Amino acid sequence: MKFSRLHTWTDSIEEATKIQERFRTLISIKPERTSFKLIGGGDVAYSKKDDMAFATVVVMKVPEMELVERVRAQANITFPFMPGYFYFREGPVIIKALGRLKIVPDLFIFDAHGINHPKGIGMASHLGIVLDMPTIGCAKKLLCGSTDELGNEVGDTAPIYNQNKIAGMAIRSRQNVKPLFVSPGHKMDVETAVQVVIDQLRGYRLPEPLRLAHIMSNKQRRNYDSNYQNNRAVSRR
């Protein structure tokens, strides 16, 4: 998969803030399409032993839920842990994985936030700009804003309000399980993002492309951590 690297990576929060402010003006919340045949999902897992991170990106054919491609990558994390800046922490390893894709999906769902973000540009939005394609943020926790009370039936939704505007939706993806927080990333609106996520639910909390990416990235992490002592021994040779 080819895309433009529109900026250099930085470990400086000050520089990252400037990049966010510049890129925020490029976000589009108007969908170019509302039906999709190939949907990608991307997630990152962290080693419990060191600063290594593992990204898995999958592409699935829908509605058949057929896995058509999977790519993986790993890289050392160098950006500090700071809420609101996860694009700069996880972006490098996700971009590394994305560069290995041979099949380009119609859109991506990332375990990240879109426009529901303190600066209006979460990782899903930033990746959408870099990729120049539709993206959706589907997060397990609410980073900012507030929601109305949410029903317990699968598919129930409640608006996410951020600065008196609807920036996304909380979605009940499974009964008696904490909701997902969905917001448009890029080239996407709230309504389409919510419908895409609901359409990809298969009885689990996460939509299927994101669920598979989550499982696979965590498998990478577990394999790495279980061999950690051997890895260190090899690296010292």
Side-chain angles (χ1 to χ4, degrees), residues 1 37-42 56-62 65-71 98 101-108 209 212-213 216:
M1 182 176 181
K37 295 182 179 180
L38 294 173
I39 296 180
T56 297
V57 176
V58 303
V59 177
M60 302 190 74
K61 183 179 179 182
V62 296
M65 290 293 114
E66 175 188 350
L67 179 65
V68 297
E69 189 174 9
R70 175 194 66 181
V71 292
L98 288 167
L101 274 180
K102 296 180 180 179
I103 299 173
V104 180
D106 300 318
L107 73 83
F108 279 106
L212 287 186
M216 293 174 183

Side-chain angles (χ1 to χ4, degrees), residues 64-130:
E64 296 88 347
M65 290 293 114
E66 175 188 350
L67 179 65
V68 297
E69 189 174 9
R70 175 194 66 181
V71 292
R72 300 177 295 182
Q74 66 181 62
N76 279 306
I77 294 295
T78 59
F79 196 88
F81 180 90
M82 182 67 67
Y85 292 87
F86 267 55
Y87 167 75
F88 299 94
R89 185 171 171 83
E90 298 184 355
V93 70
I94 293 180
I95 290 289
K96 186 176 180 181
L98 288 167
R100 296 173 176 171
L101 274 180
K102 296 180 180 179
I103 299 173
V104 180
D106 300 318
L107 73 83
F108 279 106
I109 305 173
F110 292 107
D111 180 8
H113 294 277
I115 62 171
N116 186 48
H117 181 274
K119 294 183 174 63
I121 178 168
M123 183 166 68
S125 294
H126 215 134
L127 286 169
I129 295 169
V130 171

Side-chain angles (χ1 to χ4, degrees), residues 109-208:
I109 305 173
F110 292 107
D111 180 8
H113 294 277
I115 62 171
N116 186 48
H117 181 274
K119 294 183 174 63
I121 178 168
M123 183 166 68
S125 294
H126 215 134
L127 286 169
I129 295 169
V130 171
L131 299 173
D132 190 28
M133 63 183 299
T135 55
I136 297 170
C138 184
K140 303 181 191 75
K141 295 182 180 180
L142 189 63
L143 179 62
C144 60
S146 61
T147 67
D148 294 333
E149 185 175 349
L150 181 64
N152 195 41
E153 295 300 317
V154 174
D156 283 350
T157 62
I160 300 172
Y161 298 101
N162 191 344
Q163 297 182 352
N164 298 319
K165 295 181 180 179
I166 295 179
M169 288 280 181
I171 298 176
R172 186 74 68 193
S173 56
R174 189 176 181 183
Q175 286 185 335
N176 303 315
V177 171
K178 292 180 180 180
L180 299 174
F181 301 97
V182 174
S183 59
H186 181 53
K187 295 187 175 182
M188 179 64 51
D189 61 7
V190 172
E191 181 181 1
T192 305
V194 169
Q195 192 59 55
V196 167
V197 170
I198 290 175
D199 286 347
Q200 308 316 306
L201 295 176
R202 293 298 184 273
Y204 299 93
R205 185 187 182 196
L206 296 176
E208 198 66 6

